[in-house]
Amino acid sequence: NAGVMQNPRHLVRRRGQEARLRCSPVKGHSHVYWYRQLPEEGLKFMVYLQKENIIDESGMPKERFSAEFPKEGPSILRIQQVVRGDSAAYFCASSPRSITGETQYFGPGTRLLVL
Amino acid sequence: DAKTTQPNSMESNEEEPVHLPCNHSTISGTDYIHWYRQLPSQGPEYVIHGLTSNVNNRMASLAIAEDRKSSTLILHRATLRDAAVYYCILLKAAGNKLTFGGGTRVLVKP
């Protein structure tokens, strides 16, 4: 039973380029969450998506960042015109349904380095 | 949002129990208490959760105070693989957003 998969595991971009991070949730899970962990800091919530819908994007910067979870295929976190401050580990998590107490299953993360 | 307070770090010897405290004095009646841990260079991993009663699973036990203002995660026999940052998180009834604090860094000595 495959867990949450994220790719790439490591991504290097130069300032101004675009970064695309992919997340395949656990099979059957329809809820996806993205978190960001800056160096030496705790994880911060970014966005919560259900298939084809953004439920809560309160933690996502208003500019340059976008997320989607299409009907078919993985969830994508897109960062346009990256800056050095975007360097971080980005973790995706999934859960089977949106009820309190539901466990979130995390992927191994994508480590983004902006040069 | 209700906040949690945890010690920054704790040390334990291998094969000994570890008791990780968490204070959440402003917890509301519908907040669930969740524990996750993050091993070095990995994503967080669910450990256990509870509402009012103590809970046990294969990884750990969760003891919840009667007034719910504090809880303790118990690792019964620490192994070197239990070295991680442990996060105590309150999850509101209305949402699934996990709010991670600083957590407790557990060091297990052989």
Side-chain angles (χ1 to χ4, degrees):
Chain A
N1 219 7
V4 175
M5 299 176 68
Q6 291 187 248
N7 68 79
R9 294 290 305 276
H10 299 271
L11 183 61
V12 179
R13 285 287 179 266
R14 297 192 181 279
R15 282 179 295 169
Q17 292 184 320
E18 179 181 285
R20 280 186 181 238
L21 287 62
R22 294 174 184 77
C23 169
S24 296
V26 174
K27 187 176 181 181
H29 287 191
S30 57
H31 299 263
V32 164
Y33 317 81
W34 285 92
Y35 296 84
R36 177 167 68 174
Q37 186 170 33
L38 295 170
E40 303 304 320
E41 293 189 16
L43 285 88
K44 304 287 187 207
F45 167 80
M46 297 182 74
V47 62
Y48 163 35
L49 310 101
Q50 196 177 345
K51 281 287 186 181
E52 300 185 274
N53 291 305
I54 295 175
I55 308 300
D56 180 353
E57 56 182 347
S58 59
M60 198 153 70
K62 295 287 187 285
E63 296 183 356
R64 302 188 298 107
F65 285 73
S66 63
E68 63 177 11
F69 188 19
K71 188 176 180 181
E72 301 291 336
S75 175
I76 305 286
L77 179 68
R78 183 182 177 205
I79 312 172
Q80 294 178 291
Q81 299 176 329
V82 297
V83 300
R84 288 210 173 116
D86 296 333
S87 295
Y90 293 81
F91 292 97
C92 167
S94 72
S95 68
R97 55 190 181 274
S98 175
I99 61 173
T100 301
E102 193 60 58
T103 299
Q104 291 187 21
Y105 298 83
F106 282 81
T110 293
R111 281 148 184 83
L112 172 66
L113 175 62
V114 179
L115 301 177
Chain B
D1 288 348
K3 293 189 184 299
T4 63
T5 304
Q6 300 178 251
N8 289 335
S9 62
M10 291 188 75
E11 286 189 6
S12 173
N13 293 317
E14 201 174 8
E15 301 294 317
E16 290 186 356
V18 182
H19 291 241
L20 302 177
C22 180
N23 289 321
H24 29 78
S25 58
T26 59
I27 190 171
S28 69
T30 53
D31 281 338
Y32 283 74
I33 302 162
H34 281 244
W35 284 81
Y36 281 76
R37 72 179 185 180
Q38 187 175 20
L39 279 66
S41 301
Q42 296 188 29
E45 174 187 30
Y46 167 81
V47 178
I48 200 166
H49 78 280
L51 184 61
T52 56
S53 303
N54 294 345
V55 185
N56 298 294
N57 66 21
R58 64 175 179 82
M59 289 181 70
S61 295
L62 177 59
I64 301 173
E66 197 169 333
D67 62 6
R68 300 208 330 126
K69 293 184 185 299
S70 65
S71 60
T72 302
L73 178 71
I74 303 164
L75 308 178
H76 295 286
R77 291 179 65 190
T79 69
L80 296 178
R81 288 176 295 178
D82 290 321
V85 179
Y86 287 76
Y87 296 97
C88 170
I89 299 168
L90 300 183
L91 193 58
K92 289 202 167 295
N96 294 73
K97 178 169 59 180
L98 294 175
T99 301
F100 290 83
T104 297
R105 184 175 299 276
V106 171
L107 174 64
V108 180
K109 296 181 289 185

